[in-house]
Amino acid sequence: MNGAERRIRELEALVAPHGSALVAFSGGVDSSLALAVAVRALSRERVLAVTSCNETYLPSELEKAREFAASLGVKHEVVETRELDDPNYASNPTNRCYFCKSTLYTELGRMARERGYGCVVDGANADDEGDWRPGRKAARELGVLSPLAEAGVGKDEVRRLARHLGLPTWDKPALACLSSRFPYGQRITPEKLSQVARSEEFLRSRGFRQVRVRHHGEVARLEVAEEEMERAFRMREEISSALREAGFAYVALDLSGYRSGSLNATLKRKKKSLPVLSG
């Protein structure tokens, strides 16, 4: 047995004792691996994949999630959790993700209990434990099983294991909730989310793989991978026109390129002034 197969068996051993599982499935590489592990550990008949579809989720991702679940032969359902109805979330405090995940995992926990699933599984990995991820607190409070994190599997290993299993998502670019495009304290609205979604869908349609459109009021701050920076600059007129059409007045290309969680850089600098709501 090689190292990858041994690690997958470790993950299966964390899920198998529960007998059945409801998997919080976004369609990204992390939750794809968690779903595939659950199927291997329990059989597809004992696994349900559930995707939360709302204004913070790119529309194009839902069909991809459906296709992936179907490829595993797993039943797939969609829930609408409507996080923006919660003023604690919409006001965008530094612990915004806590309220999002609390809403989601409460709903998934209810579904699991009503339908007799033994646990709720998510795709959090070990690297998530070291970053600013308030949603992890909600997962722990609500008893969500995070096999990747529990086994110490970080992002790089997630991709290696997903590739070993032949999962088509193994090299899929990271794709966080659209609310992560807003500086903390800036209120999140459906209209602003639509601006970001339209902008990012356009950029992906032009072949950009790793991209973020950060919303700074009238300014769109575009982050792309370092290797795509020159192409973005060459396409600046087309990009600027499309993003202005989406509702921005100005478009800026961030010279530092794409950085996961780049807006968290303000946390230490503005710690005393940024809102944190109890949760």
Side-chain angles (χ1 to χ4, degrees):
M1 185 186 302
N2 61 32
E5 193 62 31
R6 186 161 47 249
R7 286 293 268 164
I8 290 167
R9 294 285 179 86
E10 290 177 25
L11 293 171
E12 291 174 15
L14 294 171
V15 179
H18 296 273
S20 59
L22 186 156
V23 180
F25 178 55
S26 69
V29 61
D30 298 328
S31 62
S32 294
L33 178 59
L35 181 59
V37 165
V39 170
R40 285 171 56 110
L42 301 167
S43 81
R44 63 188 182 186
E45 294 81 10
R46 297 184 177 184
V47 176
L48 172 65
V50 180
T51 300
S52 173
C53 185
N54 49 50
E55 298 101 330
T56 71
Y57 189 67
L58 276 174
S60 61
E61 288 301 301
L62 181 56
E63 187 56 36
K64 295 175 185 176
R66 285 185 171 129
E67 290 173 357
F68 183 88
S71 74
L72 296 180
V74 176
K75 185 178 180 182
H76 178 249
E77 295 188 15
V78 178
V79 296
E80 188 176 355
T81 46
R82 302 195 59 81
E83 286 86 348
L84 290 182
D85 289 349
D86 181 357
N88 290 325
Y89 179 92
S91 63
N92 197 16
T94 58
N95 59 341
R96 175 197 69 238
C97 285
Y98 172 83
F99 299 103
C100 169
K101 295 301 185 184
S102 182
T103 297
L104 174 62
Y105 293 143
T106 296
E107 173 62 15
L108 298 189
R110 181 193 64 77
M111 289 178 65
R113 289 190 299 273
E114 289 181 355
R115 304 189 189 191
Y117 287 96
C119 65
V120 174
V121 173
D122 75 3
N125 68 63
D127 292 341
D128 294 332
E129 302 295 333
D131 196 5
W132 173 243
R133 302 287 177 112
R136 298 300 301 135
K137 177 185 176 186
R140 287 189 289 269
E141 288 176 351
L142 293 167
V144 173
L145 178 64
S146 305
L148 306 181
E150 190 171 333
V153 176
K155 192 70 172 188
D156 289 343
E157 190 175 11
V158 166
R159 294 194 184 279
R160 287 197 298 272
L161 297 180
R163 187 175 189 180
H164 174 77
L165 291 177
L167 305 184
T169 54
W170 76 268
D171 66 342
K172 185 175 182 179
L175 190 63
C177 158
L178 291 180
S179 293
S180 66
R181 314 307 196 256
F182 297 84
Y184 295 116
Q186 182 187 140
R187 187 170 187 80
I188 300 172
T189 67
E191 293 74 24
K192 291 177 182 178
L193 288 166
S194 178
Q195 283 181 274
V196 172
R198 285 181 59 189
S199 299
E200 293 195 3
E201 294 282 28
F202 164 77
L203 288 158
R204 289 190 175 85
S205 76
R206 293 300 187 271
F208 290 93
R209 278 177 51 81
Q210 192 66 80
V211 60
R212 295 286 185 273
V213 174
R214 310 292 186 185
H215 196 299
H216 296 270
E218 293 188 321
V219 180
R221 178 169 59 84
L222 173 60
E223 296 180 10
V224 298
E226 184 177 350
E227 62 271 17
E228 297 182 308
M229 191 85 72
E230 288 186 14
R231 186 161 70 92
F233 187 73
R234 289 196 303 271
M235 294 176 61
R236 61 190 181 278
E237 291 185 7
E238 181 183 1
I239 292 172
S240 182
S241 176
L243 270 60
R244 286 200 304 270
E245 193 173 308
F248 292 102
Y250 308 100
V251 181
L253 179 62
D254 192 320
L255 298 182
S256 296
Y258 165 74
R259 288 103 64 214
S260 175
S262 67
L263 290 171
N264 288 341
T266 64
L267 287 177
K268 290 183 180 179
R269 200 154 33 89
K270 298 182 179 180
K271 188 175 182 181
K272 295 182 179 179
S273 61
L274 286 169
V276 179
L277 302 182
S278 60

